[in-house]
Amino acid sequence: MTIDRRQLLGSAGAGLTLTLPAAARAARGPDYGALPMPAPVDGLRAPLPVGDPSRIGFDQGWLFHEGDIAVPPAATHNETYLRAKAGNAVGAAAIDYDDSDWPLVTLPHDWASFQPFVESANVAQGYRPRGIGWYRRSFHLDPASRGQYCELQFDGIATNATIWVNGSVVAHNWSGYNSIYVDITPFARFGDERNVVAIRVDAEAMEGWWYEGAGLYRHAWLARRAPVSIVTDGVHCDPRAGSGGGWSVPVTVTARSTEAAAVGVRAVARLLDSGGRTVATATTDMATVPPLGQGDLTTTLTIADPALWSVATPTLYTVTVALERDGATVDARSVPVGFRTIRFDADRGFFLNGAPVKLKGVCIHHDHAGVGVALPDALMAWRLERLKELGCNAIRCSHNAPPVAFLDLCDRMGFLVMDENRNFNPSPDYMAQLEWLVRRDRNHPSVILWSVFNEEPMQGTHAGVEMVRRMAAAVKRLDDSRPVTAAMNGAFFNPENVSTVVDVVGFNYYPGDYDKFHALNPTKPMTSSEDTSAFETRGAYQTIPAKNIRSSMDDDAAGWGETHRKGWAEIARRPFVAGGFVWTGFDYHGEPTPHVWPTISSFFGILDLCGFRKTAYDIHRAGWIDDAPVVGLAPHWTWPGREGQPVPILVLSNAERITLRLNGRVVGEAAVDRLMGNSFTVPYAPGTIEVIASIGGREVARAGHETAGPPVALRLTPARRAMAGDGEDVQPVTIDAIDARGRHVPTANLPTRFVVTGATIIGVGNGDPNSHESEKGDSATSGARSLFNGLAQVIVQADAGGRGRITLRATAPGLRPAALMIDRVAATPRAQVAPLAATRTIDDWRRSPLLAARPDASLAPAENDNNSWAFVHSGTATPAEAQAGWQVYRASVTPVRVIAAKGGRIAFAAVAGRAELWVDGRKLADKAGAAVGPITAALPAGAGPRAIVLIVAPEPGRPSGIVGPVTISAG
Ligand code: GAL
């Protein structure tokens, strides 16, 4: 099978294989020694379609330097003068900076995830030093791109970034969570000329109190568009239900022009159903886009009876937009849309398509074991599948904008999203961040709420009210269809507080105030925006404070929080509370509350840092899943040495009655308490503990655990049996230990090693908040990680080699090794900007006036004279002169380290006029003829700046000089 990305374009539902929901939600089977993870599934995960065909990936070929690179102080007046000029950045931002020994990295890249854990580093950021880093990337632009609009896009850089293109600073960005779109059209160089992007990332800066990573941790893109084209995020097409039953999709297309004169354009919009059939078409009026300006084009698509988007059936349509100039399509977009209505009711909570839906939500940070915040799209999808099988239907992107692929996945999988702004501040820089968020995300059917802040101390003040008022108004100007909320943690009853100026009040914690608030504000809709904050260490069933271990029996929570059961019960019992968002769906690096060093990650997750299940998983399944029987019990049943001692058991179910059996003997029975679970205490005896759930006297589900023997072998379990051989597909593979009868051993804590072929190891983990083991392999294809309470995870990325085989082999001392084979299926890799070979160009020269006599090669402009000699660029001919003479071209170049040490080659592709090439006062080559031709010479080794001099004798009446690129290479 070959995946062809072109087939995916415009078909919103295609390209993704889900493991959901029926199989995942079915009651667990009677195999009580099974791995506590889903069985592997067939099917591939193709990258999400790109709705903007004008852009290609810019993820590959980046060179990275960890640490800052100081700019040497300017020594002279002239240096100071020259540094102040466009294109003349110095230090690591300079075009010619020697990055030849920097390692190559591929985005997404989080350099903090490679760091060791260090006690002196920031606790909230997970004790990982972050620091400062530099990225550089060279690329060519096809000459056919000349005249096009060119834009670089960075989906997210942690945290403060300064970006240079071809030696000019083009952006300062002060948040790690917004995208950066840079118009590089005026700076772009074409053909053989090199373009250089340099980025200084300051990750000392913090915007949060959780692990934020460091570097270019989301995708980057290069867009090339016609001179009149659609701006990025420039299509607004959010469906609206009409009062009479029909639906409309008001479409606004924003076009921009780099032309010198006004241009008339129009846009044709189409609505495609999930099968790709056109079901509506509309055309805008002609509009004029002014030179270097923008213009909006509007029209409306209508459809009488679309299939609705919902949590259970997230049907997507696609709006395609073609921008036409003189009858020809010059740009296009395709945007997935969903037809759904949303409403928050003050008494009855949230309504989707007119029916009440309780928000069964989780807060998440963008982070995973092994990879930190550099989450590949396929891993995001895997994480969302884990939430779906949990019965979760809502996600709060706490406390910042998610990557756009995340929202695309939520659209496809049927999640309801609270999309949250990072910085609470209505001043222009920050308002721009909020407006970007709304503009980017307002077409996603999954997005149901805009959250302007999380827990701001000014929430109960006049100033806070004024700030929210302005931010909410900015949101409404861009999207009048979704309510605005703010996640308050108190001040609900202050005389002035922000609850009065939001549409839906977000309660972080304070369940004891739900009723009072509702009574005092009976017309104000409300939801829990954050709750729970309970502590669980996955696979541990006893809290040991001295070892920073928290029991997974759901009896432990932060002082401001509740246990999982209590937190949900407070919400479930109140129809006027629209729902809740558990803090958190997954553990995350940093915020190791209630502990500090040596603990490096949090305890709050329903799933651990690897996505392995804690007891909270069964608690929420029982509470949240309505359409399938659920039963689960904790703890596991492998307690050698505790024979006869009482073991507390927690049973979680959504059925009517449960019966608990130990080795076939009934040891407990009860009516199900769906919210609080049922607790039992049973004296331990090895064997099988099982629980049978029934409704109306009929068994509907059963679950259990068998006592495992000592581990004798390792086992490797992938999430999927096949991966796309596109260099991007990623999946976690579970490593566990099994006993002589093939049963999972939940108590195994032992070191494992593994090697992979056909794929790369991008991270490893085991969910232990106290482990300081490296989260990376020790090479791209080998690594080590201990099992923690029975489990570890290795995250593999399929090579781009197309069809083939991935093998993984795991070993542990004294245990039988495990081997795994995964099919690598041929797949077309996502188009990427080609990395550039390590050839350097000499682009910038000084040129003397025309001299009557042949000058000496040492002739140079006087210090501080920036006027008598012209600044010229390779490839630009010197205009013809009537008389004969001589001109000197000078450049100062510091070759990269390998050429400095061993020498290299200097090549002028095209010189017009007779010429002599001199380097450091030595003549290296002559060009005898006047016709355009090359000059090449061996460049001797030599450290430091080299004086390159070309003496040219132009032919009278003909253009002359360096009319093609000049390169220095090692060969
Ligand atoms: C909340 C906060 C979260 C997290 C959580 C831990 O107050 O919004 O970001 O810090 O507490 O319990």
Side-chain angles (χ1 to χ4, degrees), residues 209 399 454-455 508-509 530 533 560 583 591 604:
W209 49 95
H399 305 294
N454 172 66
E455 298 186 351
N508 278 16
Y509 308 97
E530 187 174 319
S533 274
W560 54 92
W583 190 267
E591 202 169 44
F604 297 117

Side-chain angles (χ1 to χ4, degrees), residues 238-239 241 247 308-310 338-342 352-353 444-448 481-482:
D238 194 17
W247 287 75
L308 298 186
W309 182 96
S310 69
F339 291 85
R340 92 283 185 270
T341 62
I342 55 170
L352 181 66
N353 301 325
H444 288 278
S446 55
V447 175
I448 60 160
S481 77
R482 293 170 182 85

